[in-house]
Amino acid sequence: MLSFRTPGFKGFGVKYSPYFDNRIAVATGQNYGIVGNGRLFILALTSRGIQVEKTYDTQDALYDLAWSESNENQVLVATGDGCVKLFDVNVPKFPIANWESHGREVFSVHWNQVSKNTFLSSSWDGTVKIYNPNRDPAITVLPMHNCVYSAQFSPHENGVVSAVGSDSKLRLFDLRTPASASNHLMLTMPINASPKSHMGSPPGKSLQAEEVLTHDWNKYRPTVVATAGVDRLIRTFDLRNPTGGPIAVLPGHDYGIRKLSWSPHLSDVLLSASYDMSCRVWTDGTAVSGNGAQGGRPMRDPMAYGGGRQMGVMRGHTEFCMGVDWCLFGAEGWCASTAWDEQVLVWDVRTVMGG
């Protein structure tokens, strides 16, 4: 395990570069993001450990970040003062672009991995906004009417956007449809619907879902999305069956879950980062033979549906874990995490399997 400290700055998000296996960006803020400055760290993984390539200071905390899908040197950040900023590692000190587009804190940013020429932001002001990096202002506004903690483009279909927030619903927008009264909205799915019942088992009961803080698209199954939040449960959904409830419910965390990330290597594996100071690795059960069982043994926790289970725990952090991300390259298990303990950890998931 490699570690790096961000003294005076609490970690909020971490992202591996999609171009280089040895470059990581970290979004941070002073004083737990309540007041003070933010700092973007560009880090290099070297034979001498983790080294700083560049740092950029901002007037407010940074809550999220995303690498550009069209330029290997550019990084987006979400700021606490309602701005989205674009930095280039070849340009010192200042951002190369700034969008003052939200009335409240910007909580997530995400770059379109299909077309690569648009990105989005979501905010506590109840909107998701779509941008062209060469234009100002935002080209599309999607109203959510509640605090939007996480929004993403689908990695499979251009123009499909998902979002989750404080009303415990997953919304799907299709930007290819006309901008009618529905504002491109094509699906609203309650997160707390009953889990899908299986043959020989009683119907599932609705599980109370509170604010949804994070979600992620499966990288191999284009209709599968995972969500998690304050209620400590990870749920996976198949968008082809919006009324069928979750296909898997994964308990295990002791406090709310701040970040989810599906593996870019294995279709059934995902990582989570939680306020309980742990990062955990899971299988959703699709690669496990037998319903609700592993190796012929029944699942120990009756709250787990679909055969999924926890495969390992990483407890290297000593404060709220806020971000986790997979490395796209090399061996299948490397990832990075960041937390309010002012640490960035780079570790191999395979070392905690079975823990």
Side-chain angles (χ1 to χ4, degrees), residues 8-10 12 28-39 61:
F9 289 85
K10 311 299 182 182
F12 279 90
T28 68
Q30 293 178 319
N31 304 307
Y32 304 97
I34 299 172
V35 66
N37 301 117
R39 179 170 292 172

Side-chain angles (χ1 to χ4, degrees), residues 163-164 169-170 189-192 209 212-216 225-229 231-237 246 248 250 257 260 262 270:
V164 295
K169 292 182 173 64
L170 169 67
M189 181 185 298
I191 300 302
N192 61 342
V212 184
L213 304 178
T214 179
H215 78 299
D216 195 33
V225 175
T227 69
D231 68 359
R232 302 171 293 165
L233 299 174
I234 299 171
R235 296 173 172 88
T236 65
F237 296 89
L250 303 172
I257 299 167
L260 290 177
W262 283 101
L270 69 162

Side-chain angles (χ1 to χ4, degrees), residues 13-301:
V14 60
K15 288 290 182 181
Y16 265 96
S17 166
Y19 301 96
F20 306 105
D21 62 357
N22 64 340
R23 178 177 278 179
I24 293 173
V26 186
T28 68
Q30 293 178 319
N31 304 307
Y32 304 97
I34 299 172
V35 66
N37 301 117
R39 179 170 292 172
L40 172 65
F41 290 84
I42 309 297
L43 305 178
L45 307 181
T46 74
S47 58
R48 294 171 295 150
I50 302 177
Q51 306 290 323
V52 176
E53 283 192 19
K54 291 283 180 64
T55 61
Y56 298 92
D57 287 347
T58 57
Q59 290 185 339
D60 216 311
L62 304 182
Y63 291 143
D64 196 25
L65 74 168
W67 286 95
S68 167
E69 292 289 336
S70 59
N71 188 312
E72 63 195 33
N73 294 310
Q74 294 180 356
V75 186
L76 278 173
V77 295
T79 73
D81 57 6
C83 296
V84 177
K85 300 179 186 292
L86 182 63
F87 289 91
D88 190 304
V89 298
N90 293 319
V91 178
K93 293 187 178 181
F94 301 109
I96 61 172
N98 183 63
W99 292 266
E100 298 179 0
S101 55
H102 287 287
R104 293 288 304 278
E105 295 89 336
V106 183
F107 216 68
S108 75
V109 287
H110 193 258
W111 207 286
N112 190 331
Q113 298 174 355
V114 179
S115 72
K116 303 184 186 298
N117 60 4
T118 55
F119 64 87
L120 63 74
S121 63
S122 74
S123 169
W124 289 1
D125 67 7
T127 64
V128 176
K129 297 193 176 185
I130 314 296
Y131 310 79
N132 181 313
N134 300 313
R135 292 173 57 184
D136 188 28
I139 58 177
T140 304
V141 179
L142 305 175
M144 287 269 290
H145 309 296
N146 70 98
C147 179
V148 191
Y149 290 113
S150 174
Q152 290 189 6
F153 284 100
S154 165
H156 307 284
E157 290 189 73
N158 188 31
V160 175
V161 173
S162 57
V164 295
S166 58
D167 68 349
S168 300
K169 292 182 173 64
L170 169 67
R171 287 179 172 84
L172 214 61
F173 301 87
D174 190 342
L175 304 180
R176 300 166 297 184
T177 61
S180 62
S182 61
N183 293 295
H184 304 287
L185 181 66
M186 59 181 293
L187 177 65
T188 301
M189 181 185 298
I191 300 302
N192 61 342
S194 299
K196 184 171 65 175
S197 60
H198 302 284
M199 185 177 297
S201 62
K205 296 181 180 180
S206 290
L207 301 173
Q208 182 180 359
E210 302 178 51
E211 292 187 316
V212 184
L213 304 178
T214 179
H215 78 299
D216 195 33
W217 290 80
N218 189 281
K219 306 304 186 291
Y220 292 93
R221 291 174 285 158
T223 62
V224 174
V225 175
T227 69
V230 174
D231 68 359
R232 302 171 293 165
L233 299 174
I234 299 171
R235 296 173 172 88
T236 65
F237 296 89
D238 192 327
L239 301 178
R240 295 172 297 183
N241 185 15
T243 62
I247 55 177
V249 180
L250 303 172
H253 278 294
D254 299 318
Y255 293 101
I257 299 167
R258 182 61 179 78
K259 191 69 175 178
L260 290 177
S261 182
W262 283 101
S263 169
H265 308 290
L266 301 169
S267 66
D268 68 307
V269 174
L270 69 162
L271 279 171
S272 59
S274 168
Y275 295 142
D276 67 9
M277 300 183 287
S278 73
C279 294
R280 305 189 186 217
V281 56
W282 311 79
T283 174
D284 69 353
T286 55
V288 177
S289 61
N291 176 40
Q294 168 68 11
R297 298 188 301 273
M299 295 297 296
R300 290 178 294 177
D301 195 321

